[in-house]
């Protein structure tokens, strides 16, 4: 979470190199006396330089925040935040980690209303200089950081604290709008950081993949504004972005429908919901069409057992099957599809049951994600059936 310091919704993200160069250019003009004065002002703070135990983490934070802010640079706010803006979750995939941005458009609007230029915010939180750490007397286990120029304060938060903040975010912004001299801290962004633990990207090889989708089989908060043409930002799109499209599997369709029934029945029996069908596709090359088209692939057992390779489309293909957590790859007549069910840890407990009741009141006659595991499984299977040929 980023704020000004008291004294001072499977993706490659934009590179912060340009921002680094801009900040480095300004740093190069600083004189020796200025740098010595700057170091004096940092007494009591610890510079997170190479060798510090948190250096790798803060480098990820800097690169991730630079790319996250680039989204709002490319798409500046055009009016008051909408309900969708408050619920948006944007995930950007970097090498070795993922950075999520929660309610990004709403916070971009707040920064704009405070007169803070996005390019300035981006350069300060980006890789232009090391973050500073200080030891807090807080009883919580949170970590505290300052940007290199001590303008912005960053703090880790527990999930329940983040949920509470986001729930009250609309009223928070209204209060600051009504009372511009309020003593409340200006919270400028909320992000999540997930570090890879040795697993490869779901989508491999990624070079030819055109679009990626996270499908839950519902409509509420299931739209992502696509990146502009030519943008290096790769977004994971959602259900509503897939409207009007189909997955053309040919003979492989019956296998996918059956496997979805089996897998979602398993998750239903575990009382799980809120998982996603992660999906991407790429155009097949001429030498990849037909059975046995590529040496990277081998046949594996289908739901009914190993079938003859002579039957077009009868085999179920897997990419790099000896690797950990290999996901299914299914070839249609023209496209190769990468498919997998992810995020398999949300239990339908008391909190989710209460969330279901609240959403039922807030979104009457609309499909939202928090429903019973039985309905969730059935609805996702129905989505796949309706969107495959």
């Amino acid at each position: 979470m980023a704020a000004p310091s008291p004294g001072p919704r499977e993706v490659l993200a934009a590179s912060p190199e340009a921002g680094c160069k801009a900040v480095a250019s300004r740093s190069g003009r600083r004189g020796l006396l200025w740098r010595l004065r700057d170091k004096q002002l940092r007494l009591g703070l610890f510079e997170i330089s190479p060798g510090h135990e948190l250096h790798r983490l803060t480098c990820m934070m800097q690169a991730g925040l630079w790319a996250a802010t680039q989204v709002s640079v490319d798409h500046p706010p055009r009016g008051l935040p909408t309900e969708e803006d408050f619920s948006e979750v944007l995930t950007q995939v970097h090498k070795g980690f993922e950075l999520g941005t929660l309610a990004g458009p709403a916070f971009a609007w707040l920064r704009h209303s405070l007169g803070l230029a996005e390019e300035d915010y981006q350069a300060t939180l980006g890789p232009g200089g090391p973050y500073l750490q200080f030891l807090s007397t807080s009883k919580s286990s949170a970590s505290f950081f300052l940007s290199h120029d001590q303008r912005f304060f960053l703090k880790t938060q527990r999930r329940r604290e983040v949920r509470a903040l986001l729930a009250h975010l609309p009223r928070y912004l209204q209060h600051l709008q009504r009372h511009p001299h309020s003593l409340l801290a200006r919270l400028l962004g909320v992000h999540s950081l997930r570090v890879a633990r040795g697993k490869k990207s779901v989508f491999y090889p990624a070079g030819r993949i055109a679009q990626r989708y996270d499908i839950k089989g519902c409509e509420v908060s299931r739209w992502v504004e696509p990146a502009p043409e030519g943008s290096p930002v790769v977004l994971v799109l959602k259900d509503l972005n897939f409207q009007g499209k189909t997955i053309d599997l040919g003979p492989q369709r019956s296998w996918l429908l059956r496997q979805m029934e089996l897998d979602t029945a398993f998750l239903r029996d575990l009382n799980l919901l809120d998982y996603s069908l992660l999906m991407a596709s790429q155009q097949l090359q001429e030498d990849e069409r037909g059975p046995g088209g590529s040496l990277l692939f081998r046949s594996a057992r289908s739901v009914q057992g190993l079938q003859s390779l002579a039957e077009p489309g009868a085999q179920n293909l897997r990419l790099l099957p000896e690797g950990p957590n290999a996901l299914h790859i299914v070839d249609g007549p023209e496209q190769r599809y990468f498919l997998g069910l992810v995020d398999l840890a949300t239990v339908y407990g008391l909190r989710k049951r209460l969330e279901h009741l609240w959403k039922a009141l807030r979104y009457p006659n609309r499909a939202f994600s928090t429903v019973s595991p039985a309905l969730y499984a059935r609805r996702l299977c129905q989505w796949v059936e309706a969107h495959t040929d």
Side-chain angles (χ1 to χ4, degrees):
M1 182 182 301
S5 57
R9 35 151 93 281
E10 305 208 309
V11 197
L12 297 178
S15 167
E17 291 177 0
C20 292
K21 290 177 181 177
V23 176
S25 174
R26 292 200 303 270
S27 299
R29 293 193 292 268
R30 296 174 178 173
L32 177 60
L33 290 177
W34 195 99
R35 290 196 295 270
L36 288 174
R37 176 179 175 276
D38 182 54
K39 196 153 191 170
Q40 263 192 327
L41 293 174
R42 293 182 180 183
L43 290 177
L45 300 175
F46 300 89
E47 187 173 282
I48 304 177
S49 52
H52 192 288
E53 62 179 354
L54 296 176
H55 181 255
R56 179 169 174 265
L57 173 66
T58 56
C59 285
M60 292 179 185
M61 293 167 62
Q62 289 179 317
L65 291 173
W66 193 98
T69 310
Q70 186 62 41
V71 175
S72 53
V73 170
D74 294 336
H75 303 282
R78 292 186 175 88
L80 293 172
T82 65
E83 182 176 328
E84 295 296 314
D85 291 334
F86 286 110
S87 60
E88 179 179 296
V89 178
L90 170 66
T91 301
Q92 294 173 296
V93 176
H94 301 254
K95 184 177 180 180
F97 70 98
E98 295 178 3
L99 188 100
T101 300
L102 289 73
F107 282 108
W109 177 88
L110 172 60
R111 295 193 294 268
H112 176 75
S113 71
L114 296 173
L116 177 59
E118 288 298 279
E119 292 83 355
D120 191 23
Y121 182 73
Q122 180 185 55
T124 302
L125 289 181
Y131 284 170
L132 308 174
Q133 181 193 25
F134 68 93
L135 301 180
S136 170
T137 57
S138 169
K139 295 181 180 179
S140 72
S141 58
S143 298
F144 302 84
F145 307 97
L146 286 171
S147 58
H148 65 90
D149 59 2
Q150 304 184 50
R151 290 180 62 199
F152 299 111
F153 176 84
L154 300 97
K155 177 188 176 183
T156 60
Q157 299 276 169
R158 291 190 176 94
R159 289 183 181 180
R160 66 173 181 270
E161 295 169 336
V162 172
R163 286 195 294 267
L165 166 65
L166 294 176
H168 297 300
L169 185 58
R171 294 180 62 185
Y172 171 78
L173 296 190
Q174 290 171 5
H175 181 83
L176 294 183
Q177 194 175 16
R178 285 198 204 101
H179 308 285
H181 300 290
S182 168
L183 294 175
L184 294 178
R186 271 45 174 184
L187 304 176
L188 303 179
V190 174
H191 304 270
S192 64
L193 180 70
R194 177 180 296 177
V195 180
R197 299 186 180 276
K199 292 185 179 180
K200 300 293 183 183
S201 169
V202 168
F203 304 130
Y204 175 87
R208 284 157 42 204
I209 289 177
Q211 292 181 319
R212 300 153 171 83
Y213 291 90
D214 178 297
I215 302 298
K216 292 184 181 290
C218 58
E219 60 172 316
V220 174
S221 300
R222 301 302 297 166
W223 166 264
V224 172
E225 190 66 34
E229 188 174 353
S231 170
V233 177
V234 181
L235 302 177
V236 177
L237 304 176
K238 298 184 180 180
D239 302 57
L240 295 181
N241 298 98
F242 201 79
Q243 284 186 337
K245 300 180 175 65
T246 58
I247 307 169
D248 186 9
L249 294 177
Q252 289 277 47
R253 179 177 183 267
S254 59
W255 169 80
L256 177 63
L257 296 181
R258 176 61 178 151
Q259 191 63 53
M260 283 292 299
E261 289 178 2
L262 294 172
D263 291 338
T264 56
F266 171 73
L267 297 173
R268 179 200 64 208
D269 292 344
L270 293 180
N271 203 32
L272 298 179
L273 74 160
D274 218 22
Y275 44 89
S276 300
L277 175 64
L278 204 56
M279 176 182 61
S281 65
Q282 64 185 34
Q283 190 75 24
L284 285 174
Q285 305 291 338
E286 287 298 327
D287 61 349
E288 294 173 332
R289 301 184 184 188
S294 173
L295 294 177
L296 281 176
F297 302 90
R298 74 173 186 182
S299 63
R301 289 191 179 276
S302 68
V303 176
Q304 295 81 20
L306 192 62
Q307 299 180 347
S308 170
L309 291 178
E311 300 177 29
Q315 68 272 21
N316 167 24
L317 303 177
R318 284 176 77 91
L319 175 64
L320 304 178
E322 302 304 330
N325 201 32
L327 290 185
H328 277 284
I329 294 176
V330 183
D331 283 356
E334 302 291 335
Q335 297 279 329
R336 171 163 291 156
Y337 296 94
F338 299 71
L339 302 164
L341 291 167
V342 298
D343 299 333
L344 314 177
T346 303
V347 177
Y348 192 56
L350 177 61
R351 185 175 65 83
K352 283 295 179 181
R353 293 173 189 271
L354 294 175
E355 184 179 331
H356 167 77
L357 294 175
W358 175 76
K359 287 187 175 180
L361 295 174
R362 187 175 183 183
Y363 304 110
N365 302 318
R366 296 184 65 189
F368 49 85
S369 62
T370 312
V371 294
S372 71
L375 175 56
Y376 194 96
R378 182 169 66 252
R379 191 172 62 187
L380 186 55
C381 286
Q382 291 171 343
W383 188 97
V384 174
E385 184 172 10
H387 290 82
T388 53
D389 289 329

